[in-house]
């Protein structure tokens, strides 16, 4: 048991540097659980610390959301840097700083090769970078990282910005080099400077930082003292109200993303984030979105985790065609609201505010639609305030593990985090940060492919361009930047929901897809029978994302409840 615990602690910290290793940790969790793992409480402090480190070092990477998604990278037609034998790194170094592995096959010509002395390919301040790399080698495994710039080949004159991370001492792969996909643009740079009121000299300094060059190099290029250049950098950071060079890079990356979307004629959305807000009698605010037919029949819709309070066009159109106006409040697992309360109290506090929200909107009662992690909130609402809901439609319900019989199989990619989170709740904080960061790198397929490996329907829907854009919009507008609030949503999946399932005054309709692989149709059927819930399905060709796949079906059920 001690060996399992120690190994999970090591892998938890490794995930901070390489989120793609989440799958390895999940496999170890599954094995530990199958061999009588303990209560898991001794891991909580380590998971919490790893989560804090995640937020701290994530600023080393761009946060422009350009790669946000769950689709595997496409083949690149013979690009020598396309395949990936070294994880998510560009290359690996041994303890003599020689190249031991490359992301792609060896190439003849002027590109970096296995066996090369990496120091000969460094850009910028060579002595300082070599010193930093040697210090990194002396640090504990997975214990540090540095930003550097190196040349991929002779033609890469400016160099490539990268993060070097210390690995676990396996001889030929002591250091991994991860490329940062960000470069200064002569089109974006002037717009960035104009919008933020930067002088020409300040803009040039920002350019040096974004390109991974140092303040010393800037001072040398401008023919001024290093101290003067450092003071100028401090002045720029104060002007922009940020505190570090990594924040400056992130600010530029976010601006560059917006600029690119604008030039391409791609609107971020038809409605701006924080489309609507209302102040309740207790002084608190609820943010919400409106979709469908303006002035149509009102439906309270509680959103899921991936899409947040935003809907793809097909779902919007289906609501309008059904004559419904959807009111979609921002859920606590999206905003981080009520974080001082435990999970159960958080649900019930928000539900009470939903009733105040309906009062403020002048709605006496209406149907409720819920999906994914919002299921617990919907059940609490119809149980505690049955007079305010005409009925409830559950679309892609997330079933808590307490409602699943122990002798029935559970998807391993779902079972492992749920059972460990039940024992060690802080694990969810690390888990959601890792998945979110993978998505930002365009690598969420490491997790998603495993979770939905038996459902081509769900994998297909998640990779549709409109769904991908909706998920990206959700990520861009999260009040908690790294998705930590979603840990609360996963915590709900480990609780006993009996307190919200005692009353049957309000009809509940559960839409089940035949290809739902997170919670199987058999488990949903058993739940529906036990809890006296009306089951619709299992429906052939439907997976777990029925709100995306068959929105017209979901809204037809909502309309039928409104007609009762």
């Amino acid at each position: 048991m001690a060996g399992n615990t120690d190994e999970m602690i090591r892998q938890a910290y490794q995930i901070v540097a390489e989120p793609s290793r989440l799958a390895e940790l999940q496999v170890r969790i599954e094995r530990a659980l199958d061999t009588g793992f303990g209560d898991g409480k001794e891991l909580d402090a380590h998971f919490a610390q790893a989560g804090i480190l995640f937020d701290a070092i994530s600023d080393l990477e761009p946060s422009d959301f350009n790669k946000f998604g769950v689709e595997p990278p496409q083949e690149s037609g013979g690009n020598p840097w396309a395949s990936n034998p070294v994880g998510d790194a560009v290359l690996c170094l041994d303890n003599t700083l020689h190249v031991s592995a490359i992301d792609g096959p060896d190439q003849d010509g002027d590109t970096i090769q296995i066996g090369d002395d990496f120091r000969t390919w460094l850009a910028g301040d060579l002595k300082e970078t070599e010193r930093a790399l040697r210090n990194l080698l002396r640090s504990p495994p997975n214990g540090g990282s540095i930003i550097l710039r190196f040349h991929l080949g002779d033609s890469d004159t400016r160099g490539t910005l990268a993060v070097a991370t210390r690995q676990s001492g396996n001889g030929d792969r002591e250091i991994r080099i991860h490329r940062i996909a960000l470069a200064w643009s002569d089109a974006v740079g002037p717009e960035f400077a104009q919008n933020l009121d930067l002088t020409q000299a300040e803009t040039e300094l920002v350019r040096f930082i974004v390109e991974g060059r140092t303040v010393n190099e800037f001072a040398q290029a401008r023919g001024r003292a290093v101290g003067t250049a450092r003071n100028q950098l401090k002045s720029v950071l104060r002007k922009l109200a940020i505190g570090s060079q990594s924040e400056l890079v992130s600010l530029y990356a976010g601006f560059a993303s917006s600029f690119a979307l604008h030039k391409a004629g791609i609107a971020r959305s038809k409605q701006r984030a924080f489309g609507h807000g209302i102040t309740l009698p207790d002084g608190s605010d609820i943010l919400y979105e409106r979709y469908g037919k303006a002035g149509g029949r009102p439906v309270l819709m509680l959103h899921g985790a991936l899409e947040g309070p935003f809907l793809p066009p097909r779902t919007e159109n289906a609501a309008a065609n059904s004559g419904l106006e959807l009111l979609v409040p921002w859920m606590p697992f999206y905003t981080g609201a009520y974080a001082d309360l435990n999970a159960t109290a958080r649900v019930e506090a928000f539900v009470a505010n939903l009733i105040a929200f309906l009062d403020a909107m002048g709605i006496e009662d209406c149907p409720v639609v819920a999906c994914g992690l919002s299921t617990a909130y919907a059940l609490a609402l119809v149980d505690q305030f049955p007079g305010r809901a005409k009925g409830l439609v559950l679309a892609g319900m997330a079933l808590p593990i307490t409602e699943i019989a122990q002798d029935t199989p559970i998807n391993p990619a779902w079972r492992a985090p749920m059972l460990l989170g039940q024992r060690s709740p802080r694990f969810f904080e690390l888990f959601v940060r890792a998945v979110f960061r993978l998505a930002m790198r365009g690598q969420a397929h490491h997790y998603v492919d495993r979770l939905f490996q038996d459902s081509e329907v769900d994998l297909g829907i998640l990779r549709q361009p409109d769904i991908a854009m909706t998920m990206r919009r959700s990520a861009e507008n999260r009040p908690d930047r790294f998705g930590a609030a979603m840990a609360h949503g996963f915590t709900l999946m480990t609780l006993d929901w009996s307190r919200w399932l005692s009353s049957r005054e309000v009809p509940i309709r559960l839409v089940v897809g035949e290809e739902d692989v997170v919670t199987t149709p058999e488990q949903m059927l058993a739940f529906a029978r036990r809890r006296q819930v009306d089951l619709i399905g299992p429906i052939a060709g439907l997976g777990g994302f029925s709100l995306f796949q068959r929105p017209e079906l979901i809204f037809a059920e909502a309309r039928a409840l409104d007609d009762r």
Side-chain angles (χ1 to χ4, degrees):
M1 187 183 301
N4 282 332
T5 300
D6 291 344
E7 184 59 28
M8 276 194 273
I9 290 171
R10 282 193 291 273
Q11 289 195 348
Y13 287 111
Q14 288 170 352
I15 286 173
V16 177
E18 294 181 80
S20 60
R21 301 186 74 162
L22 178 63
E24 295 177 31
L25 178 59
Q26 292 211 155
V27 171
R28 181 161 293 277
I29 292 170
E30 292 165 27
R31 292 173 181 168
L33 293 171
D34 289 338
T35 56
F37 183 61
D39 62 14
K41 292 181 180 178
E42 67 272 27
L43 294 170
D44 240 17
H46 294 285
F47 289 143
Q49 181 63 27
I52 293 170
L53 290 174
F54 226 125
D55 288 356
I57 74 163
S58 288
D59 278 340
L60 295 174
E61 302 180 48
S63 298
D64 59 7
F65 296 91
N66 274 334
K67 295 182 178 180
F68 194 93
V70 299
E71 186 169 8
Q74 301 298 311
E75 295 295 330
S76 55
N79 179 353
W81 303 91
S83 63
N84 199 354
V86 292
D88 58 358
V90 173
L91 51 84
C92 295
L93 309 180
D94 63 19
N95 55 17
T96 67
L97 300 182
H98 284 69
V99 179
S100 59
I102 293 179
D103 179 7
D106 286 356
Q107 297 292 305
D108 295 330
D110 67 351
T111 59
I112 193 168
Q113 302 287 309
I114 291 178
D116 284 356
D117 185 340
F118 185 65
R119 292 169 293 184
T120 64
W121 293 98
L122 290 174
D125 189 332
L126 306 186
K127 290 185 179 179
E128 181 62 31
T129 305
E130 180 181 352
R131 184 182 304 114
L133 284 169
R134 293 200 177 280
N135 287 337
L136 189 61
L137 279 172
R138 288 191 287 269
S139 69
N142 310 299
S145 62
I146 63 170
I147 295 179
L148 55 81
R149 183 171 288 275
F150 73 102
H151 301 289
L152 291 172
D154 291 339
S155 60
D156 180 17
T157 56
R158 179 170 290 177
T160 296
L161 190 64
V163 176
T165 58
R166 174 77 163 89
Q167 297 306 298
S168 54
N170 55 355
D172 66 338
R173 297 186 181 182
E174 297 280 352
I175 290 177
R176 291 194 183 194
I177 309 295
H178 306 257
R179 183 164 36 185
I180 297 178
L182 182 66
W184 180 266
S185 164
D186 290 333
V188 176
E191 295 284 343
F192 180 78
Q194 181 178 346
N195 278 271
L196 298 176
D197 195 27
L198 298 178
T199 66
Q200 184 175 351
E202 289 170 338
T203 302
E204 187 64 17
L205 174 56
V206 171
R207 177 175 183 156
F208 267 69
I209 300 303
V210 168
E211 291 179 343
R213 292 187 278 177
T214 66
V215 175
N216 288 7
E217 290 176 282
F218 174 76
Q220 184 177 4
R222 301 283 295 186
R224 62 183 58 178
V226 172
T228 302
R230 287 177 178 164
N231 287 335
Q232 189 171 6
L233 175 61
K234 291 177 183 178
S235 175
V236 169
L237 297 180
R238 281 195 302 269
K239 177 183 285 190
L240 301 180
I242 54 179
S244 67
Q245 293 184 37
S246 60
E247 288 182 26
L248 176 59
V249 172
S250 293
L251 178 63
Y252 173 81
F255 183 90
S257 173
S258 299
F259 184 85
L261 288 172
H262 174 72
K263 286 296 184 184
I266 302 173
R268 282 177 175 254
S269 67
K270 294 179 181 178
Q271 292 178 306
R272 62 186 177 87
F274 298 87
H276 305 274
I278 192 167
T279 301
L280 304 178
D282 67 356
S284 63
D285 295 316
I286 280 190
L287 302 171
Y288 68 100
E289 305 298 320
R290 303 180 87 134
Y291 302 99
K293 181 180 179 180
R297 299 188 188 191
V299 172
L300 179 65
M301 199 184 91
L302 307 184
H303 66 76
L306 292 177
E307 74 277 15
F310 308 108
L311 297 180
R314 178 181 174 184
T315 305
E316 278 195 72
N317 293 337
N321 293 337
S322 299
L324 304 177
E325 182 174 30
L326 308 180
L327 304 174
V328 188
W330 291 33
M331 300 299 292
F333 55 77
Y334 185 76
T335 65
Y338 311 96
D340 57 323
L341 302 178
N342 66 41
T344 301
R346 203 170 184 176
V347 169
E348 295 182 349
F350 186 69
V351 164
N353 270 359
L354 284 179
I355 299 305
F357 170 71
L358 292 177
D359 289 341
M361 300 298 293
I363 299 171
E364 178 61 30
D365 57 9
C366 67
V368 180
V369 173
C371 54
L373 298 184
S374 66
T375 302
Y377 287 86
L379 291 172
L381 189 153
V382 301
D383 179 73
Q384 296 180 5
F385 301 94
R388 305 305 298 271
K390 291 185 175 181
L392 170 61
V393 181
L394 297 174
M397 175 185 182
L399 199 62
I401 59 174
T402 54
E403 290 289 335
I404 301 175
Q406 294 185 358
D407 59 348
T408 60
I410 303 176
N411 185 324
W414 183 252
R415 173 180 179 266
M418 290 300 108
L419 293 183
L420 182 57
Q422 193 174 37
R423 293 168 167 84
S424 181
R426 302 300 290 271
F427 170 70
F428 288 131
E429 298 179 18
L430 173 63
F431 177 78
V432 298
R433 284 172 167 92
V435 174
F436 192 77
R437 207 64 198 172
L438 283 172
M440 287 191 67
R441 292 178 176 182
Q443 298 171 350
H445 58 279
H446 286 291
Y447 174 71
V448 171
D449 285 2
R450 189 162 180 262
L451 180 61
F452 296 110
Q453 62 183 345
D454 295 322
S455 178
E456 288 298 324
V457 169
D458 282 332
L459 283 176
I461 199 73
L462 289 176
R463 288 168 183 167
Q464 289 182 3
D466 60 333
I467 304 299
M469 285 298 293
T470 300
M471 290 192 296
R472 176 178 166 182
R473 184 184 177 198
S474 171
E476 286 176 319
N477 289 294
R478 291 193 71 93
D480 69 314
R481 183 176 169 201
F482 300 111
M486 204 183 297
H488 156 67
F490 282 106
T491 300
L492 289 176
M493 297 298 103
T494 69
L495 301 183
D496 182 357
W497 291 6
S498 296
R499 64 190 291 142
W500 303 317
L501 290 164
S502 58
S503 173
R504 280 287 71 78
E505 295 182 45
V506 175
I508 300 175
R509 298 180 179 180
L510 172 58
V511 179
V512 175
E514 206 172 65
E515 295 197 41
D516 190 338
V517 293
V518 175
T519 307
T520 67
E522 293 77 16
Q523 291 163 345
M524 290 293 197
L525 178 60
F527 168 79
R529 287 173 175 168
R530 184 172 59 255
R531 296 298 187 179
Q532 300 178 4
V533 169
D534 297 328
L535 189 73
I536 300 172
I539 299 172
L542 190 66
F545 296 100
S546 53
L547 187 65
F548 298 157
Q549 295 160 323
R550 294 283 301 279
E552 64 282 352
L553 169 65
I554 304 304
F555 297 138
E557 292 296 333
R559 175 117 188 181
L561 289 173
D562 194 54
D563 288 336
R564 289 176 68 250

